[in-house]
Amino acid sequence: MINIVLFGKPGAGKGTQAEFLKEKYNLIHISTGDVFRYNIKNETVLGKEAKTYIDRGDLVPDSLTIKMLQDEVEKNPEASGFLFDGFPRTIAQAEALDAFLNSKNWEVTATIALEADDEILVQRLLERGKTSGRPDDQDEEKIRNRYQEYNEKTAPLMEYYSAQQKFHAVNGIGSIAEITERLSNVIEKL
């Protein structure tokens, strides 16, 4: 079983690379954003609860996010592994993920960060914003705020996983194929 946590700033290519990795390694891709949207759209018990926080402009508590994630893992008992995208974002979430996986005699195999210069990513997102229609991709100040938040929250996670010898950084600049190859090189050495 391979369980990968994929990190990267907005625009670093996590979504694109996740598609290739899940196919190549037969992994179940779990994106917290997709999980939230699914639960809210389908008005599940967890989705309704999450929506109350979101509607107030509050962050969804870790306990609720983790419960949704656990439900996604439980839906796939025969999986050969999972690709976690957008989770964990805090040390508390990382510890909860470790505890949950340990309860199944599994573990996070590796965390991989797609690294790229902020200036390149800002331009990439502004370009994406022209076609995506996403307002958060069209405002440079909002993009930079997202990067600042990422840096503040993710730096401790990098240390957390580095201490376990599970952190790997990969250059996220280049063609999609080049980046996929770099990621594959890391995964195949695990």
Side-chain angles (χ1 to χ4, degrees), residues 114-149:
L114 284 173
E115 297 192 334
D117 180 74
D118 285 1
E119 297 312 310
I120 293 170
L121 293 180
V122 167
Q123 294 311 310
R124 191 183 284 178
L125 280 185
L126 290 171
E127 278 301 308
R128 182 174 86 178
K130 292 176 184 175
T131 55
S132 73
R134 288 180 51 176
D136 58 339
D137 285 350
Q138 298 172 12
D139 182 324
E140 186 170 338
E141 186 177 334
K142 287 181 183 174
I143 292 168
R144 291 190 187 281
N145 284 343
R146 287 159 62 196
Y147 291 166
Q148 182 176 345
E149 183 176 323

mmCIF file of all heavy atoms in Angstrom, residues 114-149:
data_model
loop_
_atom_site.group_PDB
_atom_site.id
_atom_site.type_symbol
_atom_site.label_atom_id
_atom_site.label_comp_id
_atom_site.label_asym_id
_atom_site.label_seq_id
_atom_site.Cartn_x
_atom_site.Cartn_y
_atom_site.Cartn_z
ATOM 1 N N LEU A 114 5.458 19.825 -4.542
ATOM 2 C CA LEU A 114 5.803 20.425 -5.832
ATOM 3 C C LEU A 114 6.240 21.847 -5.541
ATOM 4 O O LEU A 114 5.431 22.672 -5.102
ATOM 5 C CB LEU A 114 4.579 20.445 -6.760
ATOM 6 C CG LEU A 114 4.195 19.130 -7.401
ATOM 7 C CD1 LEU A 114 2.880 19.276 -8.136
ATOM 8 C CD2 LEU A 114 5.289 18.679 -8.345
ATOM 9 N N GLU A 115 7.504 22.122 -5.750
ATOM 10 C CA GLU A 115 8.038 23.437 -5.412
ATOM 11 C C GLU A 115 8.259 24.276 -6.660
ATOM 12 O O GLU A 115 8.712 23.765 -7.690
ATOM 13 C CB GLU A 115 9.335 23.285 -4.623
ATOM 14 C CG GLU A 115 9.089 22.580 -3.300
ATOM 15 C CD GLU A 115 10.256 22.650 -2.349
ATOM 16 O OE1 GLU A 115 11.409 22.781 -2.809
ATOM 17 O OE2 GLU A 115 10.006 22.564 -1.138
ATOM 18 N N ALA A 116 7.899 25.552 -6.541
ATOM 19 C CA ALA A 116 8.060 26.478 -7.662
ATOM 20 C C ALA A 116 8.148 27.894 -7.124
ATOM 21 O O ALA A 116 7.595 28.207 -6.063
ATOM 22 C CB ALA A 116 6.887 26.354 -8.628
ATOM 23 N N ASP A 117 8.842 28.743 -7.851
ATOM 24 C CA ASP A 117 9.007 30.136 -7.486
ATOM 25 C C ASP A 117 7.648 30.844 -7.493
ATOM 26 O O ASP A 117 6.856 30.683 -8.424
ATOM 27 C CB ASP A 117 9.960 30.795 -8.493
ATOM 28 C CG ASP A 117 10.177 32.253 -8.189
ATOM 29 O OD1 ASP A 117 10.897 32.544 -7.211
ATOM 30 O OD2 ASP A 117 9.605 33.095 -8.914
ATOM 31 N N ASP A 118 7.400 31.647 -6.452
ATOM 32 C CA ASP A 118 6.126 32.366 -6.345
ATOM 33 C C ASP A 118 5.820 33.211 -7.574
ATOM 34 O O ASP A 118 4.676 33.261 -8.024
ATOM 35 C CB ASP A 118 6.110 33.266 -5.099
ATOM 36 C CG ASP A 118 5.921 32.491 -3.811
ATOM 37 O OD1 ASP A 118 5.820 31.248 -3.855
ATOM 38 O OD2 ASP A 118 5.871 33.137 -2.743
ATOM 39 N N GLU A 119 6.820 33.885 -8.101
ATOM 40 C CA GLU A 119 6.574 34.787 -9.236
ATOM 41 C C GLU A 119 6.068 34.009 -10.455
ATOM 42 O O GLU A 119 5.171 34.469 -11.165
ATOM 43 C CB GLU A 119 7.829 35.597 -9.577
ATOM 44 C CG GLU A 119 8.289 36.517 -8.455
ATOM 45 C CD GLU A 119 7.171 37.360 -7.841
ATOM 46 O OE1 GLU A 119 6.412 37.999 -8.609
ATOM 47 O OE2 GLU A 119 7.034 37.374 -6.605
ATOM 48 N N ILE A 120 6.627 32.839 -10.681
ATOM 49 C CA ILE A 120 6.182 31.998 -11.799
ATOM 50 C C ILE A 120 4.753 31.527 -11.552
ATOM 51 O O ILE A 120 3.903 31.561 -12.444
ATOM 52 C CB ILE A 120 7.137 30.804 -11.996
ATOM 53 C CG1 ILE A 120 8.508 31.308 -12.468
ATOM 54 C CG2 ILE A 120 6.561 29.783 -12.973
ATOM 55 C CD1 ILE A 120 9.593 30.249 -12.465
ATOM 56 N N LEU A 121 4.481 31.122 -10.310
ATOM 57 C CA LEU A 121 3.138 30.623 -9.988
ATOM 58 C C LEU A 121 2.082 31.729 -10.058
ATOM 59 O O LEU A 121 0.960 31.472 -10.495
ATOM 60 C CB LEU A 121 3.130 29.964 -8.607
ATOM 61 C CG LEU A 121 3.932 28.678 -8.488
ATOM 62 C CD1 LEU A 121 3.847 28.137 -7.063
ATOM 63 C CD2 LEU A 121 3.481 27.632 -9.484
ATOM 64 N N VAL A 122 2.425 32.933 -9.627
ATOM 65 C CA VAL A 122 1.474 34.046 -9.701
ATOM 66 C C VAL A 122 1.058 34.255 -11.157
ATOM 67 O O VAL A 122 -0.127 34.356 -11.480
ATOM 68 C CB VAL A 122 2.060 35.349 -9.102
ATOM 69 C CG1 VAL A 122 1.203 36.561 -9.478
ATOM 70 C CG2 VAL A 122 2.175 35.233 -7.587
ATOM 71 N N GLN A 123 2.036 34.280 -12.054
ATOM 72 C CA GLN A 123 1.729 34.467 -13.478
ATOM 73 C C GLN A 123 0.899 33.298 -14.021
ATOM 74 O O GLN A 123 -0.029 33.494 -14.797
ATOM 75 C CB GLN A 123 3.016 34.657 -14.291
ATOM 76 C CG GLN A 123 3.759 35.945 -13.969
ATOM 77 C CD GLN A 123 2.853 37.183 -13.966
ATOM 78 O OE1 GLN A 123 2.104 37.415 -14.902
ATOM 79 N NE2 GLN A 123 2.922 37.949 -12.882
ATOM 80 N N ARG A 124 1.240 32.093 -13.573
ATOM 81 C CA ARG A 124 0.491 30.908 -14.011
ATOM 82 C C ARG A 124 -0.971 31.004 -13.578
ATOM 83 O O ARG A 124 -1.885 30.722 -14.364
ATOM 84 C CB ARG A 124 1.158 29.659 -13.422
ATOM 85 C CG ARG A 124 0.658 28.368 -14.008
ATOM 86 C CD ARG A 124 1.297 27.168 -13.326
ATOM 87 N NE ARG A 124 2.670 26.932 -13.753
ATOM 88 C CZ ARG A 124 3.436 25.961 -13.269
ATOM 89 N NH1 ARG A 124 2.985 25.161 -12.326
ATOM 90 N NH2 ARG A 124 4.664 25.787 -13.714
ATOM 91 N N LEU A 125 -1.191 31.420 -12.332
ATOM 92 C CA LEU A 125 -2.567 31.525 -11.836
ATOM 93 C C LEU A 125 -3.336 32.658 -12.508
ATOM 94 O O LEU A 125 -4.524 32.506 -12.798
ATOM 95 C CB LEU A 125 -2.587 31.728 -10.315
ATOM 96 C CG LEU A 125 -2.388 30.481 -9.476
ATOM 97 C CD1 LEU A 125 -2.551 30.813 -7.995
ATOM 98 C CD2 LEU A 125 -3.359 29.384 -9.859
ATOM 99 N N LEU A 126 -2.671 33.780 -12.732
ATOM 100 C CA LEU A 126 -3.345 34.888 -13.416
ATOM 101 C C LEU A 126 -3.774 34.454 -14.819
ATOM 102 O O LEU A 126 -4.863 34.813 -15.272
ATOM 103 C CB LEU A 126 -2.448 36.133 -13.462
ATOM 104 C CG LEU A 126 -2.228 36.826 -12.114
ATOM 105 C CD1 LEU A 126 -1.148 37.909 -12.234
ATOM 106 C CD2 LEU A 126 -3.530 37.425 -11.573
ATOM 107 N N GLU A 127 -2.937 33.657 -15.484
ATOM 108 C CA GLU A 127 -3.299 33.121 -16.806
ATOM 109 C C GLU A 127 -4.478 32.159 -16.677
ATOM 110 O O GLU A 127 -5.417 32.202 -17.466
ATOM 111 C CB GLU A 127 -2.110 32.399 -17.460
ATOM 112 C CG GLU A 127 -1.124 33.311 -18.143
ATOM 113 C CD GLU A 127 -1.765 34.149 -19.247
ATOM 114 O OE1 GLU A 127 -2.447 33.595 -20.131
ATOM 115 O OE2 GLU A 127 -1.584 35.383 -19.206
ATOM 116 N N ARG A 128 -4.415 31.280 -15.671
ATOM 117 C CA ARG A 128 -5.502 30.326 -15.458
ATOM 118 C C ARG A 128 -6.794 31.064 -15.160
ATOM 119 O O ARG A 128 -7.865 30.671 -15.618
ATOM 120 C CB ARG A 128 -5.137 29.368 -14.310
ATOM 121 C CG ARG A 128 -6.187 28.308 -14.035
ATOM 122 C CD ARG A 128 -5.721 27.304 -13.010
ATOM 123 N NE ARG A 128 -5.992 27.748 -11.660
ATOM 124 C CZ ARG A 128 -5.714 27.046 -10.566
ATOM 125 N NH1 ARG A 128 -5.106 25.877 -10.670
ATOM 126 N NH2 ARG A 128 -5.995 27.504 -9.372
ATOM 127 N N GLY A 129 -6.680 32.158 -14.412
ATOM 128 C CA GLY A 129 -7.857 32.943 -14.051
ATOM 129 C C GLY A 129 -8.602 33.524 -15.238
ATOM 130 O O GLY A 129 -9.811 33.761 -15.173
ATOM 131 N N LYS A 130 -7.891 33.734 -16.329
ATOM 132 C CA LYS A 130 -8.538 34.283 -17.538
ATOM 133 C C LYS A 130 -9.527 33.295 -18.143
ATOM 134 O O LYS A 130 -10.488 33.699 -18.791
ATOM 135 C CB LYS A 130 -7.482 34.653 -18.586
ATOM 136 C CG LYS A 130 -6.608 35.818 -18.182
ATOM 137 C CD LYS A 130 -5.522 36.069 -19.227
ATOM 138 C CE LYS A 130 -4.577 37.187 -18.772
ATOM 139 N NZ LYS A 130 -3.457 37.358 -19.709
ATOM 140 N N THR A 131 -9.283 32.005 -17.937
ATOM 141 C CA THR A 131 -10.173 30.999 -18.532
ATOM 142 C C THR A 131 -10.982 30.230 -17.489
ATOM 143 O O THR A 131 -12.036 29.707 -17.808
ATOM 144 C CB THR A 131 -9.358 29.979 -19.358
ATOM 145 O OG1 THR A 131 -8.343 29.406 -18.529
ATOM 146 C CG2 THR A 131 -8.709 30.643 -20.561
ATOM 147 N N SER A 132 -10.492 30.170 -16.248
ATOM 148 C CA SER A 132 -11.175 29.360 -15.232
ATOM 149 C C SER A 132 -12.406 30.047 -14.667
ATOM 150 O O SER A 132 -13.315 29.391 -14.176
ATOM 151 C CB SER A 132 -10.223 29.032 -14.077
ATOM 152 O OG SER A 132 -9.983 30.192 -13.280
ATOM 153 N N GLY A 133 -12.399 31.384 -14.717
ATOM 154 C CA GLY A 133 -13.507 32.118 -14.110
ATOM 155 C C GLY A 133 -13.416 32.182 -12.595
ATOM 156 O O GLY A 133 -14.274 32.767 -11.940
ATOM 157 N N ARG A 134 -12.389 31.593 -12.021
ATOM 158 C CA ARG A 134 -12.249 31.607 -10.559
ATOM 159 C C ARG A 134 -11.753 32.982 -10.118
ATOM 160 O O ARG A 134 -10.648 33.389 -10.505
ATOM 161 C CB ARG A 134 -11.258 30.530 -10.105
ATOM 162 C CG ARG A 134 -11.783 29.132 -10.239
ATOM 163 C CD ARG A 134 -10.789 28.097 -9.782
ATOM 164 N NE ARG A 134 -10.253 28.366 -8.456
ATOM 165 C CZ ARG A 134 -9.421 27.552 -7.819
ATOM 166 N NH1 ARG A 134 -9.027 26.442 -8.372
ATOM 167 N NH2 ARG A 134 -8.971 27.872 -6.624
ATOM 168 N N PRO A 135 -12.528 33.683 -9.298
ATOM 169 C CA PRO A 135 -12.102 35.021 -8.871
ATOM 170 C C PRO A 135 -10.810 35.014 -8.058
ATOM 171 O O PRO A 135 -10.033 35.965 -8.126
ATOM 172 C CB PRO A 135 -13.274 35.547 -8.044
ATOM 173 C CG PRO A 135 -14.140 34.373 -7.747
ATOM 174 C CD PRO A 135 -13.836 33.321 -8.764
ATOM 175 N N ASP A 136 -10.537 33.911 -7.319
ATOM 176 C CA ASP A 136 -9.311 33.859 -6.516
ATOM 177 C C ASP A 136 -8.071 33.667 -7.381
ATOM 178 O O ASP A 136 -6.958 33.794 -6.901
ATOM 179 C CB ASP A 136 -9.400 32.784 -5.424
ATOM 180 C CG ASP A 136 -9.651 31.383 -5.960
ATOM 181 O OD1 ASP A 136 -10.155 31.242 -7.099
ATOM 182 O OD2 ASP A 136 -9.368 30.426 -5.237
ATOM 183 N N ASP A 137 -8.248 33.378 -8.672
ATOM 184 C CA ASP A 137 -7.119 33.261 -9.597
ATOM 185 C C ASP A 137 -6.934 34.531 -10.436
ATOM 186 O O ASP A 137 -6.080 34.564 -11.313
ATOM 187 C CB ASP A 137 -7.318 32.081 -10.561
ATOM 188 C CG ASP A 137 -7.084 30.727 -9.905
ATOM 189 O OD1 ASP A 137 -6.591 30.689 -8.763
ATOM 190 O OD2 ASP A 137 -7.400 29.710 -10.548
ATOM 191 N N GLN A 138 -7.741 35.553 -10.175
ATOM 192 C CA GLN A 138 -7.692 36.755 -11.002
ATOM 193 C C GLN A 138 -7.158 37.968 -10.260
ATOM 194 O O GLN A 138 -6.996 39.028 -10.847
ATOM 195 C CB GLN A 138 -9.094 37.062 -11.557
ATOM 196 C CG GLN A 138 -9.604 35.951 -12.453
ATOM 197 C CD GLN A 138 -11.056 36.134 -12.846
ATOM 198 O OE1 GLN A 138 -11.630 37.186 -12.648
ATOM 199 N NE2 GLN A 138 -11.648 35.093 -13.412
ATOM 200 N N ASP A 139 -6.889 37.809 -8.974
ATOM 201 C CA ASP A 139 -6.471 38.933 -8.139
ATOM 202 C C ASP A 139 -5.101 38.603 -7.534
ATOM 203 O O ASP A 139 -4.981 37.701 -6.699
ATOM 204 C CB ASP A 139 -7.514 39.159 -7.039
ATOM 205 C CG ASP A 139 -7.216 40.331 -6.140
ATOM 206 O OD1 ASP A 139 -6.028 40.586 -5.836
ATOM 207 O OD2 ASP A 139 -8.176 40.993 -5.716
ATOM 208 N N GLU A 140 -4.085 39.336 -7.958
ATOM 209 C CA GLU A 140 -2.722 39.033 -7.526
ATOM 210 C C GLU A 140 -2.578 39.115 -6.008
ATOM 211 O O GLU A 140 -1.886 38.294 -5.394
ATOM 212 C CB GLU A 140 -1.723 39.973 -8.210
ATOM 213 C CG GLU A 140 -0.290 39.616 -7.902
ATOM 214 C CD GLU A 140 0.718 40.372 -8.744
ATOM 215 O OE1 GLU A 140 0.368 40.858 -9.841
ATOM 216 O OE2 GLU A 140 1.868 40.486 -8.291
ATOM 217 N N GLU A 141 -3.243 40.064 -5.383
ATOM 218 C CA GLU A 141 -3.137 40.199 -3.922
ATOM 219 C C GLU A 141 -3.717 38.965 -3.226
ATOM 220 O O GLU A 141 -3.136 38.455 -2.270
ATOM 221 C CB GLU A 141 -3.871 41.466 -3.460
ATOM 222 C CG GLU A 141 -3.676 41.744 -1.974
ATOM 223 C CD GLU A 141 -4.345 43.043 -1.535
ATOM 224 O OE1 GLU A 141 -4.530 43.950 -2.378
ATOM 225 O OE2 GLU A 141 -4.687 43.136 -0.350
ATOM 226 N N LYS A 142 -4.847 38.474 -3.724
ATOM 227 C CA LYS A 142 -5.447 37.270 -3.137
ATOM 228 C C LYS A 142 -4.536 36.064 -3.340
ATOM 229 O O LYS A 142 -4.403 35.221 -2.453
ATOM 230 C CB LYS A 142 -6.821 36.994 -3.751
ATOM 231 C CG LYS A 142 -7.896 37.942 -3.288
ATOM 232 C CD LYS A 142 -9.238 37.602 -3.908
ATOM 233 C CE LYS A 142 -10.281 38.618 -3.466
ATOM 234 N NZ LYS A 142 -11.559 38.397 -4.160
ATOM 235 N N ILE A 143 -3.921 35.982 -4.506
ATOM 236 C CA ILE A 143 -3.000 34.871 -4.780
ATOM 237 C C ILE A 143 -1.839 34.913 -3.785
ATOM 238 O O ILE A 143 -1.487 33.901 -3.171
ATOM 239 C CB ILE A 143 -2.475 34.939 -6.229
ATOM 240 C CG1 ILE A 143 -3.610 34.662 -7.221
ATOM 241 C CG2 ILE A 143 -1.327 33.951 -6.437
ATOM 242 C CD1 ILE A 143 -3.264 34.988 -8.668
ATOM 243 N N ARG A 144 -1.262 36.089 -3.603
ATOM 244 C CA ARG A 144 -0.120 36.217 -2.678
ATOM 245 C C ARG A 144 -0.537 35.914 -1.240
ATOM 246 O O ARG A 144 0.242 35.319 -0.477
ATOM 247 C CB ARG A 144 0.520 37.587 -2.809
ATOM 248 C CG ARG A 144 1.220 37.745 -4.159
ATOM 249 C CD ARG A 144 2.072 39.002 -4.257
ATOM 250 N NE ARG A 144 2.588 39.188 -5.595
ATOM 251 C CZ ARG A 144 3.632 38.541 -6.114
ATOM 252 N NH1 ARG A 144 4.287 37.666 -5.387
ATOM 253 N NH2 ARG A 144 4.030 38.767 -7.357
ATOM 254 N N ASN A 145 -1.753 36.290 -0.859
ATOM 255 C CA ASN A 145 -2.252 35.959 0.477
ATOM 256 C C ASN A 145 -2.370 34.442 0.641
ATOM 257 O O ASN A 145 -2.045 33.907 1.705
ATOM 258 C CB ASN A 145 -3.611 36.616 0.732
ATOM 259 C CG ASN A 145 -3.489 38.096 1.015
ATOM 260 O OD1 ASN A 145 -2.420 38.605 1.325
ATOM 261 N ND2 ASN A 145 -4.593 38.807 0.894
ATOM 262 N N ARG A 146 -2.832 33.763 -0.404
ATOM 263 C CA ARG A 146 -2.931 32.303 -0.351
ATOM 264 C C ARG A 146 -1.547 31.686 -0.179
ATOM 265 O O ARG A 146 -1.374 30.705 0.557
ATOM 266 C CB ARG A 146 -3.608 31.764 -1.612
ATOM 267 C CG ARG A 146 -5.097 32.050 -1.625
ATOM 268 C CD ARG A 146 -5.715 32.010 -3.009
ATOM 269 N NE ARG A 146 -5.624 30.735 -3.684
ATOM 270 C CZ ARG A 146 -5.834 30.600 -4.999
ATOM 271 N NH1 ARG A 146 -6.121 31.635 -5.744
ATOM 272 N NH2 ARG A 146 -5.749 29.404 -5.562
ATOM 273 N N TYR A 147 -0.527 32.258 -0.841
ATOM 274 C CA TYR A 147 0.833 31.733 -0.713
ATOM 275 C C TYR A 147 1.375 31.966 0.695
ATOM 276 O O TYR A 147 2.042 31.101 1.254
ATOM 277 C CB TYR A 147 1.767 32.366 -1.746
ATOM 278 C CG TYR A 147 1.477 31.933 -3.162
ATOM 279 C CD1 TYR A 147 2.029 32.609 -4.223
ATOM 280 C CD2 TYR A 147 0.666 30.843 -3.430
ATOM 281 C CE1 TYR A 147 1.761 32.210 -5.539
ATOM 282 C CE2 TYR A 147 0.404 30.444 -4.732
ATOM 283 C CZ TYR A 147 0.949 31.123 -5.772
ATOM 284 O OH TYR A 147 0.701 30.723 -7.055
ATOM 285 N N GLN A 148 1.079 33.125 1.258
ATOM 286 C CA GLN A 148 1.545 33.414 2.615
ATOM 287 C C GLN A 148 0.921 32.417 3.593
ATOM 288 O O GLN A 148 1.599 31.869 4.460
ATOM 289 C CB GLN A 148 1.198 34.850 3.003
ATOM 290 C CG GLN A 148 1.700 35.224 4.383
ATOM 291 C CD GLN A 148 1.437 36.687 4.714
ATOM 292 O OE1 GLN A 148 1.138 37.497 3.855
ATOM 293 N NE2 GLN A 148 1.535 37.004 5.986
ATOM 294 N N GLU A 149 -0.371 32.170 3.434
ATOM 295 C CA GLU A 149 -1.047 31.216 4.307
ATOM 296 C C GLU A 149 -0.461 29.815 4.117
ATOM 297 O O GLU A 149 -0.221 29.091 5.083
ATOM 298 C CB GLU A 149 -2.548 31.204 3.987
ATOM 299 C CG GLU A 149 -3.338 30.289 4.891
ATOM 300 C CD GLU A 149 -4.828 30.360 4.620
ATOM 301 O OE1 GLU A 149 -5.347 31.448 4.329
ATOM 302 O OE2 GLU A 149 -5.466 29.300 4.700
#
